[in-house]
Amino acid sequence: DYLSKRSGIPLAELRPHLFMLAQSEAVWHLLRVSAGLDSLVIGEGQILSQVKKCYELASQKEGAAGKILNRLLITAIAAGKRVRSETKIAQGAVSISSAAVELAALQAENDLKMPLKDASVCIVGAGKMARLLVQHLVSASVSRITIVNRSVERAQELANMFPEAGLTLLGMDEMLNSVACADISFASTGASEPILNASNLGDVLSSNHPEARKMLIDISVPRNIDADVKDMADNVTAYNVDDLKAVVAKNQARRRRLLVDAENLLQEELSDFNNWVHSLGSVPAITKLQERAESIRLEEIEKMNSKLASLSDSERAAVEKLTKGIVNKMIHGPMSHLRAIQDADERSLVLRSMEAMFKL
């Protein structure tokens, strides 16, 4: 009803697209979602940010989270972080743009004789893929990036998104010179035919940088870089979408292998949360036990008041601390035992026994 009223979608139309889980199944589902195990891209991090946002909204004054839901969301966030940290399931590129940067990093030492962070980069295009390339390159500490695009205004929009990157912006008339000057060039335009080939690249490279090592990475479909560039010179290496798909497939397979490890960690989190929920049923009895123990302690202190009258304030404080410590240690065992019981029937039996023993 809430979702229907909130969205304005009739309940009959909404219901076929919903499913309902309860108790441990609901907890397990949220833990898997937060860890990215139910995502199309296993281990992706965006969903964890969304769970954090849910917690922020639900825990506000006007939010709907009570004690249990609040604890569940905190557990889910912690579980999501733990899975990513301990299994490294989120590592490895699983998108074409991130795979392109990962491939460049893997091949830079061999193809260019330098690490990726020291290379100069040219990106031809300024669309979404180019934006993602810049994002991953900046994360990889690449500091010299040139954007070549037909529309300088579009390139400026991209530069505004990454002010810290210090992007150099050029028009398409500078494309060949820019590619010739860069160590690594990424092609990411909407062109229907190759815009870089052995002919146009060969001329500019032979006249300006004949011996320089170059890496060309085409992330466009259809291709922006013609296949003939692979044969133009020994110092030029080229990669296309097929090479990137191999990187993506390898990383996706790795993430699938880590699913079992991730689920084992989530089982621990599920067990801890369920134990906490079960312990809530013991809270009233634990409170009564604490109150009963404290009343006995105070009664005994009251009986000894006349004999304690000569004590200084510090000595009386020491007696208070001593008696409280003894009482707390005495009831710690029963309280811990109660909290650890998961079976409802066993907990009920222990509670009745405890109430009888301590006259609660």
Side-chain angles (χ1 to χ4, degrees), residues 44 84 150 163 167 196 266 280:
E44 60 91 12
R84 289 170 176 81
R150 194 174 306 280
L167 303 181
L196 296 172
L266 292 184
L280 295 179

Side-chain angles (χ1 to χ4, degrees), residues 56-93:
E56 290 171 6
L57 293 173
S59 59
Q60 290 174 0
K61 187 176 181 181
E62 63 275 16
K67 183 175 184 178
I68 293 178
L69 182 55
N70 191 69
R71 177 67 173 258
L72 174 57
L73 288 168
I74 291 174
T75 298
I77 293 168
K81 290 179 179 178
R82 184 185 175 198
V83 163
R84 289 170 176 81
S85 171
E86 295 187 24
T87 68
K88 311 299 182 187
I89 198 169
Q91 289 186 356

Side-chain angles (χ1 to χ4, degrees), residues 292-302 319-321 323-325 327:
R292 175 67 175 149
E294 179 63 8
S295 68
I296 292 173
R297 186 188 75 82
L298 292 175
E299 287 173 9
E300 295 305 308
I301 289 286
E302 184 66 27
V319 171
E320 284 281 323
K321 184 177 180 181
T323 54
K324 284 183 178 180
V327 167

Side-chain angles (χ1 to χ4, degrees), residues 165 183 257:
D183 299 309
R257 289 195 300 272

Side-chain angles (χ1 to χ4, degrees), residues 124 172-181 185 187 191 193-209 214 216 223-230 232 236:
V124 183
M172 288 298 285
D173 56 329
E174 295 289 335
M175 178 185 70
L176 291 176
N177 283 332
S178 183
V179 170
C181 291
S185 294
E193 297 179 351
I195 57 176
L196 296 172
N197 53 54
S199 176
N200 62 14
L201 271 179
D203 291 341
V204 70
L205 288 177
S206 60
S207 60
N208 295 315
H209 307 275
K214 304 294 176 184
L216 306 174
R223 289 184 177 182
N224 281 182
I225 301 177
D226 200 293
D228 64 4
V229 300
K230 284 195 172 185
M232 61 184 290
V236 177

Side-chain angles (χ1 to χ4, degrees), residues 200-273:
N200 62 14
L201 271 179
D203 291 341
V204 70
L205 288 177
S206 60
S207 60
N208 295 315
H209 307 275
E211 304 299 327
R213 293 176 177 270
K214 304 294 176 184
M215 184 190 298
L216 306 174
I217 302 178
D218 189 354
I219 67 173
S220 303
V221 177
R223 289 184 177 182
N224 281 182
I225 301 177
D226 200 293
D228 64 4
V229 300
K230 284 195 172 185
D231 303 319
M232 61 184 290
D234 291 338
N235 59 317
V236 177
T237 52
Y239 303 95
N240 57 36
V241 170
D242 292 334
D243 299 307
L244 303 180
K245 285 180 178 177
V247 174
V248 169
K250 178 182 175 183
N251 288 329
Q252 286 177 331
R254 172 185 165 277
R255 292 188 181 202
R256 285 192 291 272
R257 289 195 300 272
L258 290 171
L259 269 175
V260 175
D261 293 338
E263 288 188 333
N264 288 337
L265 292 178
L266 292 184
Q267 285 288 356
E268 295 176 11
E269 297 290 339
L270 176 66
S271 178
D272 289 345
F273 179 78

Side-chain angles (χ1 to χ4, degrees), residues 120-190:
S120 59
V121 172
C122 171
I123 300 175
V124 183
K128 179 181 178 182
M129 298 293 277
R131 174 177 62 80
L132 293 172
L133 281 172
V134 173
Q135 178 180 322
H136 294 302
L137 287 167
V138 170
S139 296
S141 301
V142 176
S143 59
R144 292 181 291 157
I145 304 174
T146 298
I147 305 295
V148 176
N149 195 57
R150 194 174 306 280
S151 166
V152 178
E153 291 77 13
R154 184 73 177 271
Q156 186 60 56
E157 291 176 8
L158 180 59
N160 292 340
M161 295 180 191
F162 302 94
E164 76 286 357
L167 303 181
T168 300
L169 309 180
L170 299 174
M172 288 298 285
D173 56 329
E174 295 289 335
M175 178 185 70
L176 291 176
N177 283 332
S178 183
V179 170
C181 291
D183 299 309
I184 305 172
S185 294
F186 296 91
S188 171
T189 77

